[in-house]
Amino acid sequence: MWRNFVNFTNKYKIIRGMISYGTLWPCGSLIEQTLIEKRTFQTYDWMKCVKFSLFGFFFMGPTIYVWIRLAGIMWPRTDIKSSLCKAITEQTAYDPMAISSFLFFMTLMEGNTYEMAKKEVSNKFFDAYKVGVIYWPCVQTVNFAFVPARNQVVFTSFFSMCWTTFLAYVKFLQLHPNVDVDHHAVDIHFLEM
């Protein structure tokens, strides 16, 4: 059975990323709920985790797979110069779409209106993007330069889980502005990841 699964994911490589993102994104939500909201197993918001999983599986997995394939065609070499080009292009072309989509669709999945989802993107996009401008080029330069193409989506999905934890953190703080959190300790924690 395991061999059939491996053969299936080797034949349809997009499935690897979908499974990876569908699994790791709710883990990012659980990390945020544990560290920031101080929840435990009995008090986790499991529906929030399901929403993160659905978004990771159906949106992030396929779109990052397509982006990495496209970047590989545009810059087929794996040297540092090509990797930097891929990372910078991703930051200007892919990441704004991914961040906006996350904020928009997660807001809709929370049961909010289209107008509220637009406002969510308007209010939170730039703050998230400013952090992403530093974070993602570093991650993706390493990814494109040193990770074999067949494992690039999975490599990216781990760092995406860290990124998702950050996005969940930003979203939680803006929903609960009176929560007493040591922001410097949390920011340093994210930089260490």
Side-chain angles (χ1 to χ4, degrees):
M1 181 160 196
W2 177 252
R3 178 173 283 214
N4 289 338
F5 176 75
V6 170
N7 289 338
F8 181 75
T9 61
N10 284 336
K11 184 175 180 179
Y12 303 102
K13 292 176 179 58
I14 193 170
I15 298 297
R16 286 182 190 175
M18 292 172 73
I19 292 169
S20 183
Y21 279 87
T23 303
L24 293 175
W25 271 54
C27 291
S29 176
L30 287 173
I31 292 168
E32 179 274 326
Q33 290 182 52
T34 303
L35 296 177
I36 305 303
E37 299 179 41
K38 307 296 186 208
R39 291 179 182 244
T40 64
F41 186 81
Q42 292 79 19
T43 61
Y44 284 138
D45 181 348
W46 295 106
M47 280 308 297
K48 182 178 180 181
C49 293
V50 168
K51 293 170 189 172
F52 272 69
S53 182
L54 290 171
F55 185 80
F57 186 85
F58 288 110
F59 184 84
M60 290 306 299
T63 62
I64 198 70
Y65 173 82
V66 169
W67 159 247
I68 287 175
R69 299 281 296 197
L70 179 62
I73 292 167
M74 293 167 57
W75 296 279
R77 297 186 328 207
T78 58
D79 59 9
I80 294 294
K81 182 179 177 184
S82 295
S83 298
L84 282 170
C85 287
K86 291 175 191 178
I88 290 167
T89 302
E90 177 176 313
Q91 193 57 48
T92 57
Y94 178 80
D95 287 355
M97 181 273 304
I99 294 168
S100 297
S101 296
F102 170 80
L103 294 169
F104 187 82
F105 290 117
M106 290 303 287
T107 302
L108 289 179
M109 285 194 282
E110 292 168 349
N112 294 307
T113 66
Y114 174 81
E115 290 303 319
M116 292 171 83
K118 282 184 9 184
K119 185 173 182 176
E120 178 91 350
V121 173
S122 176
N123 290 342
K124 299 177 184 179
F125 170 80
F126 189 66
D127 289 335
Y129 187 70
K130 286 188 294 189
V131 175
V133 164
I134 304 300
Y135 182 78
W136 282 113
C138 296
V139 169
Q140 290 299 63
T141 298
V142 170
N143 187 31
F144 290 127
F146 302 111
V147 177
R150 70 181 179 278
N151 295 325
Q152 287 178 345
V153 172
V154 175
F155 176 87
T156 302
S157 67
F158 171 77
F159 288 95
S160 182
M161 178 187 67
C162 300
W163 175 249
T164 304
T165 303
F166 170 74
L167 290 177
Y169 161 73
V170 169
K171 191 169 180 72
F172 173 78
L173 285 182
Q174 292 188 353
L175 289 174
H176 302 88
N178 297 325
V179 172
D180 183 26
V181 174
D182 183 357
H183 300 287
H184 300 289
V186 174
D187 290 342
I188 290 168
H189 176 69
F190 279 112
L191 291 175
E192 291 172 350
M193 290 180 168

